[in-house]
Amino acid sequence: SANSRIHNDLTMQLAYTWSRSMDPASGNGGVGDLAGVSDPYNRNYDFGPSGLDRNQILVVNFIYDLPFFKNSSNLFTKSALGGWEISAIGTMESGLATSVFLGGTYGNNGIPGATNRPDVVGGLTYPGTVGEWFSTSTFVGPAPGTVFEPGTWGDASKGLLRGPGRDVWDMSLFKRFAFSESGQRNLEFRFEAFNTFNHTQFNGVDTTFTDGNFGQVTSTWD
């Protein structure tokens, strides 16, 4: 983290976090206990990035006293056009770790409470579109079982996928008008905007292999 004040006009703070969280918990949320392991024959099948694992987070905030007309010799210009301030809070963070699930008839490989995953057959890429957040062709179903022999467990590792990140800026523009020579009576004008740049912030993505909208964005943040 860092704090700075530059020439009494700009006050800025920033905080950056780089982290990694790994656990053996089953489930997409990264919480739970070993009573619900995905593959009861392999305790390492559920070891990987936690469902709360977000690798990078950067938060920036600042208040900037705009210099325009601030020191004008014209009293009206200085009062009406000078003395404006702008402030902002920016949050930028990478996506959460998430797993891809097999679903369907062989979603639990015939074992109650188990959770199977598909096989990986190619490099994972992120087109980043609503219709295809990640490359769905990267995955195929594992060999199914028979009445005499259970199916195979897919080799897609837990937490292999990354959900959408966020890049949100909330900004304010404000000015205080003095109504007395003492400066104790003021009227403040404020203009505030949330998600100022109007970026759509993707949220949920369908990660169940057998779903018809597999790989598609299913929701957005408010």
Side-chain angles (χ1 to χ4, degrees), residues 20-23 25 27-28 45-53 55 95-101 117-126 133-140 154-164 205 207 209 214:
R20 185 74 169 175
S21 175
M22 307 285 286
D23 66 34
N28 197 27
Y45 194 63
D46 282 332
F47 186 82
S50 305
L52 49 76
D53 182 43
N55 293 153
L96 289 168
T98 186
S99 301
V100 57
F101 302 100
R117 296 193 284 265
D119 284 334
V120 178
V121 294
L124 179 62
T125 59
Y126 290 88
W133 177 256
F134 57 86
S135 53
T136 56
S137 60
T138 298
F139 305 97
V140 298
D155 60 15
S157 59
K158 173 198 167 188
L160 175 65
L161 300 175
R162 286 285 162 178
V205 177
T207 59
F209 178 73
F214 176 57

Side-chain angles (χ1 to χ4, degrees), residues 16-21 49 52-57 93-97 162:
Y16 173 74
T17 302
W18 179 79
S19 65
R20 185 74 169 175
S21 175
L52 49 76
D53 182 43
R54 196 187 295 275
N55 293 153
Q56 299 187 73
I57 301 174
E93 53 191 21
S94 56
L96 289 168
R162 286 285 162 178

Side-chain angles (χ1 to χ4, degrees), residues 174-194:
F174 51 96
K175 174 180 170 54
R176 183 170 296 173
F177 295 89
F179 276 84
S180 66
E181 292 184 3
S182 65
Q184 295 182 0
R185 295 189 182 92
N186 300 284
L187 174 67
E188 186 176 72
F189 171 85
R190 298 182 66 90
F191 176 79
E192 299 181 326
F194 298 93

Side-chain angles (χ1 to χ4, degrees), residues 145-156:
T146 67
V147 294
F148 304 105
E149 185 177 351
T152 59
W153 296 91
D155 60 15

Side-chain angles (χ1 to χ4, degrees), residues 8-113:
N8 295 322
D9 293 330
L10 176 63
T11 301
M12 178 179 292
Q13 295 178 316
L14 66 87
Y16 173 74
T17 302
W18 179 79
S19 65
R20 185 74 169 175
S21 175
M22 307 285 286
D23 66 34
S26 62
N28 197 27
V31 293
D33 55 42
L34 293 181
V37 294
S38 298
D39 179 1
Y41 303 109
N42 179 10
R43 63 179 297 179
N44 292 321
Y45 194 63
D46 282 332
F47 186 82
S50 305
L52 49 76
D53 182 43
R54 196 187 295 275
N55 293 153
Q56 299 187 73
I57 301 174
L58 175 64
V59 179
V60 178
N61 68 79
F62 67 84
I63 301 175
Y64 182 39
D65 189 359
L66 298 176
F68 313 113
F69 307 109
K70 179 180 178 180
N71 300 313
S72 174
S73 58
N74 185 296
L75 184 60
F76 175 80
T77 300
K78 180 179 180 178
S79 175
L81 302 179
W84 289 85
E85 294 181 85
I86 185 171
S87 66
I89 300 175
T91 302
M92 292 143 280
E93 53 191 21
S94 56
L96 289 168
T98 186
S99 301
V100 57
F101 302 100
L102 184 59
T105 304
Y106 303 101
N108 64 358
N109 221 353
I111 302 174

